[in-house]
Amino acid sequence: MKKVVIVGTNHAGTAATNTILDNSNNHQVTVFDSNNNISFLGCGMALWIGNQIAGPEGLFYSNKETLESKGAKVYMETPVNKIDFNAKVVYGKNAHGEIIEEHYDDLILATGSLPIIPKIQGMELENVQKVKLYQHAEVVIEKLKNPEIRDVVVVGAGYIGVELAEAFERHGKNVTLIDIATTSLPAYYDAPFTQMMNENLSSHGIKLAFGETVQKLEGDGKVERVVTDKATHKADMVVMAIGFRPNTELGAEHLDQFRNGAYLVNKKQETSIPNVYAIGDCATVYDNSIDNTSYIALATNAVRSAIVAAHNVIGNDIDSAGVQGSNGIAIYDLKMVSTGITAERAKLLGLDVLYTDFEDLQKPEFITEENHKVKLRIVYDAKTRIILGAQMASQHDMSMGIHLFSLAIQEKVTIDKLALTDLFFLPHFNKPYNYVTMAAITAK
C-alpha cells in the first residue's frame, strides 16, 4: 500500500484527502495540520462577523473524525517543520512537543496562504487584528461586543476588506475603508463596476479613504489612530485586510517557485521534485485568460487543484483544465461577478483587447416586480476576438451567467460565436434578446 502525506487540511488538503480515499483502496493517507480545526470556509467569515448567519458551525464542512472514518491518519495541532525530500520523510511536532515522523511515497503540500502584515509602527497595539483563521474571527466578534469600540478602520479594499467593512457597519460601527489604490476591487473589475461598489459602500455610511498609504498606527496601549500619507483616521479597532501571500517557507529552498513565492507546478500539480505535489493557495495555477502560469488564490481553484493532484497520485493521469479566476461578491443589495481578465489588467499586460458594454433590464419591461438592470462588460482579443474576461453587476442574482463566460474563456469561444449561441427565453427569467446576446451582437 502506498503512503501519501498531506500537509494542510483546509479546502485543498481536505479535498485531496477525500478524493484519494474515495477513489482508491491502495493508498494510506496521513494528514498534518497546525490548527485545531480543518476545512474552515474563510470566505464566510464576514457573514458570521456581520450576524448574517446564525453562527460558525456551517462554515466547517469536514472534521478530524470524518476523515479518520474514511481511513486517514490525522495529526491536528502538529505543524510540519522539516521535510527530507531525499529520504521522503515528513517531520512534525505536536502540541505535547513530540516529534512525529512519517515516510511517504507521495507528498501533497497544501500549506495555504498567510495574511500580509505591513511592517509599520503600532502593529503591536491592542485591537489591531487580522482575519484569516476561525480564531481570528472569534476574537473580532468578541471585541465587537465592547461598546467602547465605535470606530473601526479596515485596511485593504479587496474582497475581504469590503466584506468586513459591511459586516462592521451592520454592527452600527463607524467604518473607514483605506486602500493605497484609488478604488475598491481593482483586481477584479474595471472602473464602471468599481464605481458602483464605491457608491454602494458610501451610501451605507462607510467612509472611503482611497489613494492613501498607511504609515503608522498610534495609541496608548490600544490603537487610537491610523495615520496615512494624507490624513489621520480615528480608530478603536484596526483590521488588516491587505491580502495574502503563499505559505511556502516549508521546503522553499528545494522547490522551484513563482515570482511571488508560490510553489511552481505543472498542470498535474507536480512540483519540481518527483512525487511532490502542491495545491491550493500555496501553488500556481494555469490562467486560461492569459495562457500562462499565474497565482489566483480562490477556494474553487484550491478544490480543483486538489482533485487533479489526488487523481494523479492514485494513478489516474489527468491534467488541469486551467482556471479563469471566476469570483463574486454581494454587498448589501449589490451583486458583482467576474471571470478572466479586466480591460485594465489587459492593458497592464500589454494585450491588445477590445470590450463591449451593455446594460438592460433582466426581464421584459412588462414584468414590473423584481426586475432590475444588469450591467455587463465582455473583454475580448482585438485580433482573434476570443473572449478573455467578463464582469457583471445587478441587484439580481445573475451569478450563473458568469459560468457561461468562464467556459467561453476556457474553450476559447469568440465574441461572434457567443452572439449566436442558443440562450433560452422566458419572461420570468430574461428577454428574447437578453443582455448577454446584445452585448455580443453590438461588439465592434
Side-chain angles (χ1 to χ4, degrees):
M1 181 172 287
K2 287 192 172 183
K3 295 191 67 175
V4 182
V5 171
I6 299 176
V7 182
T9 52
N10 207 39
H11 301 303
T14 301
T17 303
N18 283 327
T19 302
I20 293 171
L21 296 175
D22 290 345
N23 291 276
S24 174
N25 295 319
N26 300 316
H27 290 79
Q28 169 63 51
V29 178
T30 300
V31 172
F32 286 86
D33 200 283
S34 59
N35 210 335
N36 62 5
N37 59 66
I38 65 174
S39 76
F40 179 60
L41 195 64
C43 52
M45 278 193 296
L47 295 175
W48 176 27
I49 292 172
N51 287 333
Q52 291 174 269
I53 58 176
E57 296 77 18
L59 300 179
F60 295 94
Y61 53 90
S62 189
N63 52 48
K64 181 176 184 287
E65 293 71 27
T66 298
L67 297 185
E68 287 179 334
S69 71
K70 290 186 171 187
K73 182 192 294 185
V74 181
Y75 294 109
M76 301 302 298
E77 297 183 85
T78 307
V80 171
N81 47 40
K82 179 184 175 184
I83 299 174
D84 186 331
F85 292 99
N86 293 320
K88 292 189 173 183
V89 181
V90 170
Y91 299 88
K93 189 175 184 179
N94 66 21
H96 304 292
E98 299 169 328
I99 303 298
I100 308 296
E101 296 183 25
E102 287 287 349
H103 291 258
Y104 65 85
D105 295 300
D106 292 284
L107 172 65
I108 300 178
L109 298 172
T111 49
S113 58
L114 298 170
I116 296 173
I117 304 299
K119 295 179 180 179
I120 57 174
Q121 177 184 326
M123 286 298 298
E124 76 287 349
L125 293 170
E126 187 178 342
N127 295 334
V128 177
Q129 310 295 141
K130 55 186 176 182
V131 178
K132 168 70 172 174
L133 305 176
Y134 165 82
Q135 292 89 342
H136 296 155
E138 194 175 34
V139 169
V140 168
I141 288 170
E142 188 60 32
K143 289 190 173 185
L144 287 174
K145 297 176 183 177
N146 183 352
E148 293 182 359
I149 293 181
R150 295 180 292 272
D151 296 284
V152 179
V153 172
V154 179
V155 181
Y159 271 165
I160 300 298
V162 168
E163 290 173 343
L164 289 173
E166 178 194 17
F168 295 133
E169 188 279 328
R170 287 179 179 274
H171 278 276
K173 307 299 181 183
N174 303 314
V175 182
T176 300
L177 182 60
I178 300 177
D179 201 288
I180 191 172
T182 57
T183 186
S184 64
L185 311 178
Y188 311 100
Y189 302 94
D190 287 318
F193 294 84
T194 61
Q195 186 58 36
M196 290 178 69
M197 182 56 72
N198 296 345
E199 292 171 0
N200 182 35
L201 295 167
S202 293
S203 69
H204 286 87
I206 295 171
K207 177 183 175 183
L208 306 182
F210 295 153
E212 297 188 23
T213 302
V214 175
Q215 296 182 327
K216 60 181 177 179
L217 311 179
E218 295 181 336
D220 185 10
K222 297 180 180 180
V223 67
E224 298 173 17
R225 294 173 297 279
V226 177
V227 180
T228 75
D229 58 340
K230 295 180 180 177
T232 298
H233 305 279
K234 187 177 179 182
D236 301 310
M237 177 186 286
V238 175
V239 178
M240 291 293 171
I242 296 173
F244 303 101
R245 60 180 177 84
N247 180 16
T248 54
E249 293 179 8
L250 190 64
E253 68 274 18
H254 300 284
L255 298 166
D256 289 350
Q257 293 176 280
F258 194 53
R259 57 178 175 265
N260 71 335
Y263 296 126
L264 192 61
V265 298
N266 60 18
K267 287 189 175 183
K268 298 184 188 300
Q269 302 301 137
E270 296 169 327
T271 67
S272 54
I273 295 180
N275 302 108
V276 178
Y277 300 78
I279 59 178
D281 289 1
C282 68
T284 56
V285 296
Y286 192 84
D287 185 346
N288 291 317
S289 64
I290 61 172
D291 273 331
N292 209 341
T293 298
S294 188
Y295 180 76
I296 306 173
L298 292 169
T300 48
N301 291 347
V303 171
R304 277 193 294 272
S305 67
I307 294 171
V308 169
H311 276 289
N312 281 300
V313 162
I314 62 178
N316 299 328
D317 186 18
I318 65 171
D319 287 354
S320 166
V323 304
Q324 289 68 251
S326 303
N327 59 86
I329 190 168
I331 302 296
Y332 300 109
D333 292 328
L334 178 60
K335 301 169 183 66
M336 293 169 53
V337 292
S338 76
T339 189
I341 59 173
T342 63
E344 186 60 32
R345 183 167 179 235
K347 185 191 304 182
L348 294 174
L349 292 171
L351 301 177
D352 185 14
V353 301
L354 297 171
Y355 60 84
T356 177
D357 291 337
F358 200 81
E359 184 173 332
D360 198 5
L361 289 171
Q362 171 90 7
K363 308 169 189 176
E365 283 76 4
F366 59 78
I367 302 291
T368 56
E369 294 184 1
E370 291 298 315
N371 191 9
H372 303 287
K373 284 189 174 182
V374 179
K375 188 180 187 68
L376 168 66
R377 168 171 288 189
I378 308 173
V379 180
Y380 56 99
D381 186 276
K383 294 179 181 178
T384 66
R385 300 181 68 79
I386 290 173
I387 296 170
L388 301 178
Q391 303 154 59
M392 301 166 68
S394 181
Q395 291 183 31
H396 275 296
D397 179 2
M398 38 66 227
S399 59
M400 290 302 293
I402 210 65
H403 302 316
L404 168 71
F405 289 104
S406 178
L407 185 61
I409 297 168
Q410 177 179 301
E411 299 304 313
K412 300 191 181 304
V413 175
T414 66
I415 189 75
D416 307 296
K417 190 169 186 178
L418 177 66
L420 298 176
T421 297
D422 180 15
L423 303 179
F424 92 102
F425 158 66
L426 192 67
H428 304 72
F429 299 99
N430 58 3
K431 288 187 170 187
Y433 289 94
N434 60 64
Y435 54 88
V436 172
T437 304
M438 290 304 300
I441 288 174
T442 56
K444 298 175 186 177

